[in-house]
Amino acid sequence: MASEGEYFVRELDVDVLNTSLKLYQVFKGDVGCVVWDAAIVLGKYLEELYKKDATYFHNLSVVELGAGVGCPGLFAACFGAKVILTDLHEMVPLLAKNIAENSGEFKKNNGTAQTLALKWGESPPTDLLRPNLILLADCIYYKECIDKLITTLKNLSGPNTKILISQELRDTGHQQDYWNYFLETVQKYFLPRFVPLEHQNQEFRSQDIVLMELWPLKN
Ligand SMILES: C[S@@+](CC[C@H](N)C(=O)[O-])C[C@H]1O[C@@H](n2cnc3c(N)ncnc32)[C@H](O)[C@@H]1O
């Protein structure tokens, strides 16, 4: 667990609620220690959904995978969802800090947030199964994880689970190949629907960030 001087805070407005989230990040650590742009795009897209239907998130069960700092999941909790933020075991203390620092915001709308360790490819605990919504931001970035991540998506989701993925497309290294492999493989099990830029938040959207829904294929 980092000490107070090792954190730096990113404040993100939740305009529709006239409030903001304080996301605690850590100077030293792996990629999950900071909030990535794809996570902000996804969080702000959830805000667009809330603007259209303020009841959408009430009691909605949400699981975020590879949550890092927890940005989109924390937006969902502010809108009234029951959220479980997951990541590797070592990321759980940072997620717990971000839940504690922002819990006053979720309570206003009866939202809740908890954190649990979940490594992709391993059996998920039963209380995570079949949520209404799974969130995933900027998690397709190394080859070895892709099949395991898809296994976790298959294991977690029920027939009515919607998955929302936000991914920055980078032209460095093999990033484009990894994304293409993910897309090709995931479509064996899920139907993709890309969210057009004009349906996203006007300020927080980008040509370089893909936002898409996945729905389980009916057998
Ligand atoms: C690029 S970071 C994105 C973090 C956050 N979603 C965001 O966009 O700000 C990727 C995240 O995936 C997590 N991750 C990587 N491999 C994982 C695995 N095998 N199982 C679970 N989480 C994993 C990392 O710990 C990290 O938090």
Side-chain angles (χ1 to χ4, degrees), residues 1-10 23-36 68-69 90-98:
M1 181 85 181
S3 60
E4 271 313 308
E6 292 170 307
Y7 294 112
F8 61 112
V9 177
R10 174 83 190 258
L23 301 176
Y24 282 72
Q25 310 173 102
V26 184
F27 285 111
K28 280 189 200 157
D30 207 348
V31 289
C33 291
V34 292
V35 61
W36 292 82
V69 167
E90 56 269 29
M91 297 304 298
V92 166
L94 183 59
L95 286 167
K97 176 160 181 74
N98 276 303

Side-chain angles (χ1 to χ4, degrees), residues 1-218:
M1 181 85 181
S3 60
E4 271 313 308
E6 292 170 307
Y7 294 112
F8 61 112
V9 177
R10 174 83 190 258
E11 226 170 300
L12 278 180
D13 290 337
V14 189
D15 300 280
V16 70
L17 300 179
N18 201 20
T19 188
S20 58
L21 284 170
K22 287 188 181 58
L23 301 176
Y24 282 72
Q25 310 173 102
V26 184
F27 285 111
K28 280 189 200 157
D30 207 348
V31 289
C33 291
V34 292
V35 61
W36 292 82
D37 288 346
I40 300 174
V41 166
L42 180 51
K44 295 300 280 186
Y45 177 63
L46 299 181
E47 187 174 338
E48 295 304 303
L49 297 181
Y50 180 82
K51 281 188 214 161
K52 275 197 205 128
D53 177 5
T55 64
Y56 175 71
F57 288 93
H58 286 180
N59 288 317
L60 197 79
S61 53
V62 177
V63 173
E64 183 173 355
L65 302 177
V69 167
C71 170
L74 294 172
F75 267 83
C78 285
F79 301 140
K82 310 291 176 209
V83 180
I84 304 184
L85 302 170
T86 72
D87 204 303
L88 297 171
H89 177 74
E90 56 269 29
M91 297 304 298
V92 166
L94 183 59
L95 286 167
K97 176 160 181 74
N98 276 303
I99 290 170
E101 295 288 346
N102 292 286
S103 62
E105 298 306 327
F106 333 140
K107 285 180 185 152
K108 293 179 193 165
N109 248 335
N110 295 321
T112 61
Q114 305 168 46
T115 178
L116 268 183
L118 178 63
K119 189 171 182 180
W120 305 328
E122 294 187 351
S123 295
T126 48
D127 44 348
L128 288 188
L129 299 180
R130 301 182 161 222
N132 301 120
L133 180 64
I134 296 174
L135 301 172
L136 192 70
D138 220 342
C139 284
I140 294 118
Y141 64 104
Y142 67 101
K143 177 85 165 61
E144 301 70 41
C145 77
I146 297 175
D147 290 320
K148 291 177 182 163
L149 179 56
I150 293 173
T151 298
T152 294
L153 292 174
K154 280 161 47 190
N155 287 344
L156 278 181
S157 51
N160 299 314
T161 301
K162 167 173 157 175
I163 301 169
L164 264 173
I165 297 188
S166 176
Q167 179 66 38
E168 181 161 352
L169 301 182
R170 301 179 176 88
D171 51 17
T172 46
H174 292 284
Q175 296 293 314
Q176 191 65 51
D177 298 337
Y178 301 158
W179 174 247
N180 291 342
Y181 175 73
F182 172 78
L183 259 190
E184 191 185 298
T185 312
V186 86
Q187 287 184 71
K188 294 179 187 160
Y189 314 100
F190 297 94
L191 187 70
R193 193 187 75 83
F194 292 90
V195 180
L197 275 181
E198 62 271 22
H199 293 180
Q200 301 178 33
N201 183 278
Q202 282 195 1
E203 191 182 346
F204 295 94
R205 61 184 175 188
S206 165
Q207 297 281 2
D208 299 334
I209 296 178
V210 176
L211 190 58
M212 71 174 187
E213 296 176 355
L214 292 176
W215 292 94
L217 286 176
K218 308 267 184 264

